[in-house]
Structure formats: C-alpha cells, structure tokens
Amino acid sequence: MRGIGYGGDYNPEQWPESTWAEDVGLMAEAGVNLVTVGVFSWSRLQPAPGELSAGWLDRVLGLLAAAGIGVDLATGTASPPPWLAAEHPEILPVTADGRRLAPGARQHYCPSSPVFRAAAVDLAERMARRYAGHPALTMWHVSNEYGCHIPACYCQTSAAAFRDWLQARYGSLDELNDSWGGAVWSQVYTSWEQIQPPRTAPTYANPAQQLDFARFSSGELLSCFLAERAVLAAHSPGVPVTTNFMGLFRPVDQFRWAPELDVVSVDSYPDPADPESYLLSAMACDLTRSVARLAGTPGQPWVLMEQAPSAVNWRPVNAPKAPGQYRGLSLQAVARGSDAILSFQWRAAAAGAEKFHSGMLPHAGTDSRVWREVTGLGADLGRLAPVAGTPVRAPVALLHDWESWWGLELDSHPARLHLVELLGEFYRPLFEAGVTADFAHTEGDLTGYRLVVVPALYLVSDAGADNVRRFAAAGGTVLVSFFSGIVDPRDRIRLGGYPAPWQDLLGLRVEEFAPLPEGAVVRLDGAAGAGPASGTCRLWQDVIGLRGAEPVLRYASGHLAGQPAATRHPYGAGEACYLGTLPDRSTLRGLLAEACGRAGVEFRTDVPPGVEMVRRGDYRFVISHLDTPADIDLGGRSHDLLSAEHVGPRVVLGPRGVLVLGPLG
Ligand code: GAL
Ligand code: ZN
C-alpha cells in the first residue's frame, strides 16, 4: 500500500447485492482504500461441509478491485456455522464450572478441538486456493480477536491437551509436583491422568497450575492461528498474514504470537465517556508498535484494525464519540506508528447483535455528523501520506511480560493488584510530558533506551533479571516498583528477601509487604533533598532495609513512619531507583521527571494535560483531546501537513485540534 490505509470491516453479506455498488462509490468518496471482508461469513461461504459457495464474494471482491480498494481478506473462521455445532457438539467450549456453551452467538469453539481446527483449516485452504492471486488481496486476516469471548476451554479434550503440554514441559511427574508445590494442600499427583485444568474448586486452585493453564491456553489459540497460516502461506506465498490483537488483553501473549505474524494489528475501543480514554488507547498503540517489531518484517508499522467511528453497543451505556474524537484517536494511532486506520464497521448493521454499533456509514446515511467526520478523516489521512513507513523511536521502555501479568493477578496474594491500572499510573506522567514509551519484554533488547521502568513485574526469569542489571550497568537508568522480581517462572518465591534478583542492583532488601486497605493514605516526606518534597501514597508499602541505596522519600505517617519509601542507588555506569509504594500522581510525576532528567530524556512540564505530543520520523504530532482550547509553545515555526499552513512558535489549538508538524518547506 502507498500512504496510509483507510477503511473498515465490510460485511456485504448483510445487505442486498443492490447496495454494493453504492458502498463502493461511497468508499471512494470517503477516501477508503482498504477494507476487511469476510470475518463472519463462514455460514454464507460454506452452507454445508465440503464446499465453498463464494460466487457472491467473487462479485464483491471484483467491485472492490475495480475501484482500487485493497482487501484484508478474512479466512472466515471466527464464528462456526450452525451445521458444524449441530453435527459436532464436542467443538463447543466448556467453562471452568463445567457448562458447555451453546451456539447462537459467536466464537463458540474449543481451541483444542481437532474437529474445529480441521474445519477451520479446510475453509482457510479453500479461501486461499480461490483468492491467492486476486488483485484485491492485500493481506490475510486469520479468524478474529482470538480469545475475546473464549480465552480458555475446560472440556475433556482441552484437559487431555493440557496434560500433553505439561508432559512436554516437565518431563516427569516429580518435576511437575516439585514446580507446582504439590506438597502444599496435599496435591501430589501420582499419574498424569489425575491432572485437570484449574476448574472451579472449593477455593483457590493451585497458582502454578493456573499460570501453566494460561500459558497453555494462549498457546492453543496460537496453534489455531498457525494451522490456518500454514495453508495461507502454502497457497499465497508473500501475501502478509495478520490477526487482530486487542491491546492490553490478558489471555493472549503477544510477545510469543508476534513473531508468527507478518503484520501486527490491534482493535481499540476506548470508552468515549471516560475523559482519559486517550491514555488507554495510546498505551494500546505503543504496545502494538512494540510487539510489531517482533513480526515477520522487523520495524514494520502496524495496523489499527478496529475502532468505533462513534458509539459501541456492548457497554451498559454507550456514549457516542465527541465531535473530533474519532479523528483525534485515529491520528493518535498514526502518530504512534500505525500505517492503516480501520473501523468496525463500514455500514452500520440493520439487524442482529450489533445493530446499535456505530458504522462509518450510519443508519442516518450521508447527511450526518459521523459521515462528515469519516470523509474528513479520509482527506486528512491522504495529506499524511509522507508519514507512512516512518519509525517512532522511544527513549523509555516499560517492561511488560504476559507471564508476569498472569502471575501478578492470581488470587491469594498480599493484595489485589491490577496491572493495567498500574501501567497507567506510570504511563500517564510520561504521556503528559511528551515522552514516548515502548513496552519491552523483560528479556528483550534494551539497548537504545535511556530509562527502563519496571512496574510490578512480579515474575522474572534469570535471563530477564540479568537483562535489567546489564542495562543499568551499561549506563541506563532503571525505576523498579514494589512487587517486582518476586517469583521465578514456576511461580516459586525467589528466597532471601525481596526482590532477590535485584537487591544488589537496587542497594536494598525488602523484608515484608504492608499493603494498605482501600482508601488508606500514608504521608510521604522528601528525604535527601532530592526528589519531591512531600506527598502521599496508597495501595502498598514495602518494608525496606537500605543496603547502599540512598532514600529519596520516606513514609511520614503510619507504622512505617521514618522508613524509606523510595530510593536511589548508583549501579555500574547507571542508576537504579526503587519505589516501595504507589505515590500520588503529582509525586510520581516528580519522580519520573527526575529519573528522565538524570537519564537525559526530555520531560516537558509545559504541555496542558490532555494534549499529546509524539514524534514520528521527521514529523511532530500535537493532538488535543480537550473540549477547550489549548495554548501551546511549539518552540519555533513549522509547517502543518493537515492545514498546509505555517504555524508557531505559539499556537492556540482549538477543541480536539490536531497539528502534524514537518520542516518548513
Ligand atoms: C470487536 C469485534 C468486532 C465487533 C466489535 C464491536 O470485538 O472484533 O467484530 O464485534 O468488537 O465493537
Ligand atoms: Zn475444550
């Protein structure tokens, strides 16, 4: 594709054929050049086993090809047709409490079912054979949002596959019993057949068993993807393959999946009613960009595969996007590395489960705000063609690891921690200061970053722990939070005080955790003259013994008054900071500003909160997510690609205004 892709999910099978020509004409009017077709078409494509009834799809693809619109063609396997579930009820998924779910919605399949997998591969192969050389075929779209409704299945087939997986992982029952802490609560297995998925039990299921089941379940979904990808690659070598991820979605380990994709894509549905929804969507963009580096072609830009042009239909209350919000969030994705902006869906449905979900072409037709915004964005994206393919470079990385996330949120812990909330706490001040951050895997390449933030990285491998140490030793700045480095990949405590692998790095030892009850707040005082002078904290307190680190903040009330809450420690050519609690937002901002300052990362304090500044290639994006005007210092005059005008050095950006600044030309 040239320039930035623009479009959405197109479901022509929901409409009489007479509307298709109008669709394609309106797509051209809106600047649409890429549509996803066939995601939920299985029952139309295959009314009965052993055939492909695709005349209608031939005609749709022909119309699109003639209009020069590329197609992200789905394999169609996301929702099995009624005949498959009727003939083979064993494909239906089973919940942790043993209920077999009924067909009648979508994604009703057990990922381990050989019958389902064979049927999905059969359809994918028929599609690949038929459309391999089609001029509209731009990319393959395998299934849809793996794990969205059914992240794991607890049926007998899945149980047997889980046992095979465990045998391959542990080799012997002794090894498994030891790893899982079988001696605790009398859980020593004497035969593989005794092992079950972590089904609903009287109280907490074994945490290591739960962690392994999360690994296994992500892997089973990945196997479904790989089976389809193999037939696509065989019949249409060179056509890129994607499947749409869901951002910070717990069940799917994107670091393991991404190397198997050619193009990484994401679906992002921030709640328009949340005044800070742009933060969550920005995190999803940065995460997607980070995992996209692992995909087939390294450094490749990514695709915003789905978003809503306005309201969704699946929250209890579904607010429409505010005027300009669809544009702002779309351009946010471009700023953060996306080369295609797609929506769910092209034409708002008239029937079925999603008829109250917005579409690019609303029920009201083209005389509507949404349509005007849709055509406006198409024109904007046309102007941003020079941005396509350019890289985003982040000076800061937040360490992230799905295995650690699964471990962190297991039950029977000192307190309930929610990773996405914690990531958000550390992400917000960086975002507000115009600092772009990647999400790096614990064992990933950290060279090139100046600051690495480690938020509640509960589980860490030896290699991951070394990686962080080496980064600091080589001159990097590290900021580690409470409840990091606590267990190894088997969910066994790393003994000797916390965080055992990083005590030398941090110059301290945590002896005990003192989580705070909900609503409780403890005062903080500045310690060494450096760092914020005072503040408060909540959620968690570590009992810290200093072993070389210098305190930066101390608790100033409660049982731990006088003891260190935040510290700093030189390490090799770099430095390691520690946070034993969650400070209030302004104190945390102060700590991050300082860490950035010491790491040589520009941290702006003059950007109004709600205004986003991101650099991509030679372009600077300034995006206001505010309903009010914002006064901004651009630091000089530049050329705005969107308005084709010269702007700056100061500019008053209107409500939800956007600038894309390039060199004066
Ligand atoms: C996504 C899904 C789409 C559509 C959309 C509605 O989760 O992939 O098919 O249902 O939600 O918001
Ligand atoms: Zn199953």
Side-chain angles (χ1 to χ4, degrees):
M1 297 222 54
R2 259 171 236 273
I4 308 275
Y6 184 46
D9 275 46
Y10 180 37
N11 297 309
E13 71 272 33
Q14 296 180 8
W15 298 93
E17 192 157 343
S18 52
T19 54
W20 299 351
E22 185 195 29
D23 283 327
V24 173
L26 289 172
M27 285 176 191
E29 188 180 319
V32 165
N33 55 14
L34 180 63
V35 292
T36 301
V37 179
V39 174
F40 297 106
S41 304
W42 196 342
S43 65
R44 273 290 159 86
L45 286 167
Q46 232 178 5
E51 59 178 70
L52 187 70
S53 164
W56 66 273
L57 184 54
D58 295 349
R59 296 196 293 282
V60 170
L61 296 192
L63 283 174
L64 292 166
I69 297 170
V71 172
D72 167 42
L73 186 56
T75 54
T77 55
S79 190
W83 59 258
L84 184 57
E87 276 177 33
H88 295 284
E90 72 274 22
I91 71 154
L92 295 169
V94 171
T95 59
D97 58 0
R99 276 177 310 125
R100 199 174 275 284
L101 298 177
R106 64 178 178 184
Q107 214 176 81
H108 42 281
Y109 61 84
C110 161
S112 305
S113 161
V115 174
F116 167 74
R117 284 196 194 175
V121 167
D122 172 70
L123 178 60
E125 182 153 30
R126 289 172 196 275
M127 292 289 284
R129 276 186 204 282
R130 189 171 190 110
Y131 296 111
H134 199 285
L137 179 65
T138 305
M139 178 161 72
W140 286 110
H141 182 107
V142 176
S143 189
N144 189 61
E145 290 192 342
Y146 275 106
C148 168
H149 306 302
I150 304 293
C153 175
Y154 296 77
C155 76
Q156 299 298 0
T157 303
S158 297
F162 183 43
R163 286 190 281 270
D164 290 347
W165 185 91
L166 290 169
Q167 286 208 30
R169 184 175 177 90
Y170 293 104
S172 73
L173 271 181
D174 283 350
E175 189 57 35
L176 177 136
N177 283 323
D178 183 48
S179 286
W180 284 14
V184 179
W185 286 8
S186 180
Q187 293 174 355
V188 176
Y189 294 99
T190 53
S191 125
W192 292 99
E193 292 312 304
Q194 296 159 1
I195 304 176
Q196 301 294 334
R199 298 197 177 113
T200 309
T203 182
Y204 330 118
N206 181 303
Q209 176 192 12
Q210 294 191 58
L211 177 59
D212 274 342
F213 193 63
R215 289 183 174 115
F216 160 80
S217 298
S218 173
E220 287 299 273
L221 292 169
L222 177 56
S223 299
C224 292
F225 168 80
L226 290 175
E228 289 194 37
R229 194 200 63 174
V231 294
L232 300 175
H235 294 285
S236 58
V239 177
V241 178
T242 192
T243 184
N244 42 348
F245 290 146
M246 297 168 65
L248 282 160
F249 174 64
R250 197 168 60 158
V252 167
D253 181 348
Q254 293 176 30
F255 284 118
R256 282 194 190 274
W257 282 60
E260 311 291 352
L261 273 60
D262 301 307
V263 172
V264 169
S265 61
V266 69
D267 298 353
S268 178
Y269 288 96
D271 185 355
D274 168 5
E276 283 194 339
S277 58
Y278 55 84
L279 276 177
L280 205 57
S281 56
M283 285 206 285
C285 292
D286 290 346
L287 175 68
T288 306
R289 178 183 68 248
S290 305
V291 300
R293 296 223 172 84
L294 307 173
T297 316
Q300 210 174 39
W302 51 276
V303 170
L304 177 60
M305 184 62 81
E306 286 184 25
Q307 62 172 335
S310 188
V312 299
N313 66 318
W314 40 262
R315 292 194 173 94
V317 176
N318 298 294
K321 283 188 169 157
Q325 199 169 16
Y326 166 66
R327 176 183 191 242
L329 293 174
S330 298
L331 296 179
Q332 170 186 73
V334 176
R336 293 175 184 274
S338 173
D339 268 6
I341 302 298
L342 279 68
S343 285
F344 181 90
Q345 57 179 328
W346 163 250
R347 192 185 270 272
E354 300 192 287
K355 59 183 172 298
F356 292 112
H357 194 290
S358 58
M360 296 169 76
L361 181 55
H363 294 154
T366 52
D367 183 12
S368 59
R369 174 186 73 88
V370 168
W371 178 254
R372 283 185 286 277
E373 293 210 22
V374 162
T375 52
L377 180 63
D380 282 335
L381 293 176
R383 297 178 189 111
L384 296 187
V387 177
T390 58
V392 176
R393 294 194 206 291
V396 175
L398 297 158
L399 285 199
H400 179 58
D401 175 13
W402 263 267
E403 301 206 353
S404 179
W405 187 2
W406 295 330
L408 179 78
E409 295 186 3
L410 288 169
D411 28 36
S412 68
H413 278 195
R416 285 213 166 267
L417 299 178
H418 297 285
L419 186 70
V420 175
E421 278 170 34
L422 287 172
L423 288 173
E425 292 294 333
F426 287 89
Y427 186 87
R428 177 185 290 102
L430 295 169
F431 177 98
E432 289 178 348
V435 178
T436 306
D438 282 345
F439 289 84
H441 186 260
T442 315
E443 294 175 23
D445 181 6
L446 301 180
T447 51
Y449 298 117
R450 301 210 184 109
L451 170 66
V452 166
V453 182
V454 186
L457 190 78
Y458 164 75
L459 175 155
V460 68
S461 64
D462 293 346
D466 282 349
N467 198 30
V468 174
R469 265 197 304 266
R470 272 199 311 274
F471 171 75
T477 299
V478 179
L479 172 62
V480 179
S481 93
F482 56 92
F483 219 43
S484 295
I486 305 301
V487 300
D488 68 15
R490 300 181 306 164
D491 197 41
R492 295 187 66 104
I493 299 283
R494 292 176 171 280
L495 298 174
Y498 320 109
W502 287 326
Q503 290 176 12
D504 59 333
L505 167 71
L506 298 165
L508 55 74
R509 192 182 70 145
V510 174
E511 251 181 66
E512 243 185 304
F513 308 125
L516 290 162
E518 195 164 344
V521 168
V522 164
R523 280 192 291 114
L524 293 169
D525 264 346
S534 63
T536 60
C537 64
R538 64 183 179 92
L539 194 68
W540 190 279
Q541 289 183 287
D542 276 334
V543 182
I544 299 175
L546 298 176
R547 296 189 164 184
E550 143 195 31
V552 170
L553 285 170
R554 291 185 187 276
Y555 302 116
S557 62
H559 295 306
L560 299 176
Q563 299 198 36
T567 64
R568 196 159 62 207
H569 184 236
Y571 186 80
E575 180 174 83
C577 308
Y578 188 71
L579 246 182
T581 186
L582 183 63
D584 66 83
R585 285 182 182 171
S586 109
T587 305
L588 184 55
R589 183 183 315 117
L591 289 169
L592 277 163
E594 243 210 32
C596 282
R598 296 164 77 95
V601 174
E602 186 193 8
F603 189 97
R604 294 185 61 155
T605 50
D606 61 338
V607 186
V611 174
E612 172 170 0
M613 292 209 187
V614 190
R615 180 176 284 281
R616 178 171 179 193
D618 293 332
Y619 301 93
R620 260 194 312 153
F621 285 70
V622 183
I623 304 171
S624 170
H625 299 285
L626 301 171
D627 293 325
T628 48
D631 185 357
I632 293 158
D633 181 4
L634 300 176
R637 274 187 84 66
S638 18
H639 172 75
D640 173 27
L641 255 59
L642 293 173
S643 64
E645 280 171 10
H646 287 182
V647 292
R650 291 208 81 85
V651 65
V652 177
L653 201 55
R656 298 186 190 275
V658 183
L659 301 171
V660 181
L661 305 173
L664 288 176

